[in-house]
Amino acid sequence: MTIMFQSSTFIKRRRFLKSIGMASSALFLNPLLGWTTETQEDKVKRIVAKTIGIDTHNHMDLPFDMNEFKNKNYELAAELQDSGLTAIGMTFCVDRPQLTKEGEAFDRFILELDEMDDLLHANNISRALSYGDIKKARKENKQVVIQSVEGAHFTEGKIERIKIAYDLGLRQLGLMHDGQSTPPIGDIYTDKPQYGGLTQLGIDIIKECNRIGILLDLAHCNNDAINKAIEVSSKPMVISHTGLNTRLGKNERLAKMMFPRLISPEQARLFAKAGGVIGVWTHLADTPLEFAENVKAMVGTIGVDHVCIGTDTTMAPSADNNNRFQNKTNQSWKGEKIGFYYTVVDALLQSGFSESDINKIGGGNFFRVFENATNV
């Protein structure tokens, strides 16, 4: 498969990022340079260079057809480098389009991982299997991915498949997604409750993830399912992508559609009290500053130690992408001229966050929970 990296846009952006790296290195070698002359731009560059940034929920849904996949180009390495992030939670789902027959979910799961093996190899990117891998990548100025799947449909009632997924590199499991699995796992927040939160299968999946070292992601779970998971899990968990249901933005139509997927302040506090971390997505924010204000509202609700970033966007759609759900991460807002994480750090600074806060929100909080979950 041929991956095309050298578009004129990427060349210009790389020159900009090279200047960022040089400026950051100079500040590290001589910190006195930053005491009196540091501009906002310099500060953003320095913070990005110091932190280990991650988008905890970034979609890379690939076609369920290997021949179709081989004819596509995914510039993941270039986009990830441009973003300023060290890592993404590289996520896919198997329940779109709707599953129709037994074994289909598992077949799709294995196919997606095979395709991602090829994509990562072509982009010279590896999967991080532990927090140690993340720290090593940051030290070497490399980018990595944490392999994630949205929905445990692939288990199809067979708990032993969790270990198979682990051996294939999965380290983050979204318990549920839009479509119910067969057999059911639990109550999805956009569906009518009918399972009392979690079925026995859902409980067993959580226990198995705890046992072997996979971080659980409770996005798409309703309140009863979240609370049951808190009772069952021996490890802290994440809700990788949501927002407060008190922050609806300016688009009434979108707000109405998204409202069932948002979390109440009360539920967010319960989850944080159990050690969880919640990712704020870029939806319902028309500008970087609006996004920063949504982050600030979440921090004000549950504390700065329990918030991360989970965009629910796509770092590198294929060159011929026509999927309306695949919003490009580095173009999350109109007029972005620099990568995603640079833009976010700038907005957070403008909104009054300290460097310490940004370090936690940008990656520190998520990696604390990731290390706890995967260290068994």
Side-chain angles (χ1 to χ4, degrees):
M1 178 178 64
T2 301
I3 307 293
M4 297 183 295
F5 295 102
Q6 297 299 325
S7 69
S8 59
T9 301
F10 283 128
I11 291 171
K12 290 177 182 177
R13 294 177 78 177
R14 281 202 197 92
R15 286 173 180 164
F16 170 78
L17 292 169
K18 184 177 180 182
S19 70
I20 288 175
M22 292 174 66
S24 300
S25 297
L27 284 168
F28 284 135
L29 292 171
N30 187 359
L32 291 175
L33 291 174
W35 284 16
T36 57
T37 63
E38 188 176 41
T39 65
Q40 174 79 356
E41 183 179 352
D42 292 333
K43 193 171 185 178
V44 169
K45 295 172 185 176
R46 179 171 54 77
I47 292 172
V48 170
K50 287 174 61 178
T51 59
I52 307 178
I54 181 170
D55 176 0
T56 66
H57 188 80
N58 196 283
H59 271 276
M60 285 296 295
D61 294 288
L62 305 177
F64 298 124
D65 183 325
M66 182 61 81
N67 290 326
E68 181 183 349
F69 165 75
K70 289 180 178 178
N71 291 321
K72 292 181 178 290
N73 295 313
Y74 299 90
E75 295 183 325
L76 179 60
E79 288 287 345
L80 188 49
Q81 186 176 34
D82 285 355
S83 74
L85 295 166
T86 295
I88 58 171
M90 189 167 74
T91 308
F92 67 96
C93 60
V94 302
D95 59 324
R96 287 189 190 140
Q98 185 175 354
L99 297 161
T100 59
K101 57 186 178 182
E102 185 178 353
E104 188 175 22
F106 188 65
D107 289 344
R108 288 181 179 182
F109 177 73
I110 296 299
L111 175 61
E112 288 278 298
L113 289 180
D114 286 345
E115 291 176 348
M116 287 187 179
D117 286 345
D118 289 349
L119 186 155
L120 292 173
H121 178 73
N123 283 266
N124 195 29
I125 293 175
S126 62
R127 291 185 178 94
L129 304 180
S130 67
Y131 182 47
D133 291 342
I134 299 287
K135 291 189 291 185
K136 183 174 183 291
R138 188 68 189 90
K139 185 176 181 180
E140 297 174 354
N141 197 28
K142 293 180 179 179
Q143 285 75 40
V144 291
V145 304
I146 294 174
Q147 187 63 67
S148 173
V149 66
E150 193 167 26
H153 305 76
F154 70 93
T155 59
E156 297 177 315
K158 299 177 175 62
I159 290 297
E160 62 270 19
R161 288 183 179 173
I162 299 292
K163 181 59 165 60
I164 292 172
Y166 178 89
D167 291 341
L168 292 172
L170 189 76
R171 290 297 182 273
Q172 182 174 335
L173 173 64
L175 194 60
M176 302 183 205
H177 193 225
D178 292 332
Q180 185 57 261
S181 64
T182 304
I185 290 173
D187 288 313
I188 301 167
Y189 57 10
T190 48
D191 291 352
K192 182 179 178 180
Q194 53 184 317
Y195 301 110
L198 296 175
T199 65
Q200 187 60 48
L201 175 60
I203 292 170
D204 291 343
I205 289 172
I206 290 173
K207 290 181 177 179
E208 181 66 359
C209 287
N210 288 166
R211 184 184 73 83
I212 65 176
I214 293 177
L215 173 63
L216 282 154
D217 181 354
L218 301 186
H220 291 270
C221 294
N222 80 349
N223 289 350
D224 290 337
I226 291 171
N227 294 339
K228 187 65 176 179
I230 290 171
E231 289 179 21
V232 171
S233 180
S234 61
K235 302 277 189 175
M237 298 168 284
V238 298
I239 297 174
S240 64
H241 58 295
T242 186
L244 287 173
N245 66 7
T246 55
R247 303 284 302 180
L248 300 179
K250 300 172 184 175
N251 186 326
E252 292 185 9
R253 182 190 64 80
L254 186 61
K256 184 177 180 180
M257 181 177 71
M258 290 293 190
F259 188 82
R261 302 179 61 184
L262 302 174
I263 193 167
S264 70
E266 297 77 17
Q267 188 63 37
R269 291 188 192 102
L270 284 173
F271 189 69
K273 187 177 180 180
V277 173
I278 299 176
V280 179
W281 60 12
T282 51
H283 305 322
L284 303 177
D286 293 333
T287 68
L289 284 175
E290 287 182 15
F291 173 71
E293 289 303 310
N294 288 346
V295 172
K296 181 182 283 189
M298 188 68 80
V299 168
T301 301
I302 62 177
V304 72
D305 293 321
H306 298 280
V307 181
C308 64
I309 297 169
T311 68
D312 199 21
T313 61
T314 302
M315 184 59 68
S318 63
D320 61 346
N321 169 62
N322 57 8
N323 185 340
R324 67 187 179 92
F325 294 106
Q326 290 192 333
N327 299 317
K328 197 171 184 179
T329 309
N330 282 322
Q331 296 173 6
S332 292
W333 298 283
K334 291 181 180 178
E336 269 191 86
K337 294 181 173 60
I338 55 176
F340 171 78
Y341 193 45
Y342 296 99
T343 302
V344 167
V345 169
D346 180 50
L348 292 175
L349 286 170
Q350 291 186 57
S351 297
F353 285 95
S354 69
E355 290 186 39
S356 175
D357 293 338
I358 294 170
N359 180 57
K360 292 177 179 181
I361 295 165
N365 293 333
F366 174 84
F367 288 125
R368 180 185 69 247
V369 176
F370 178 74
E371 182 178 28
N372 188 313
T374 56
N375 186 16
V376 295

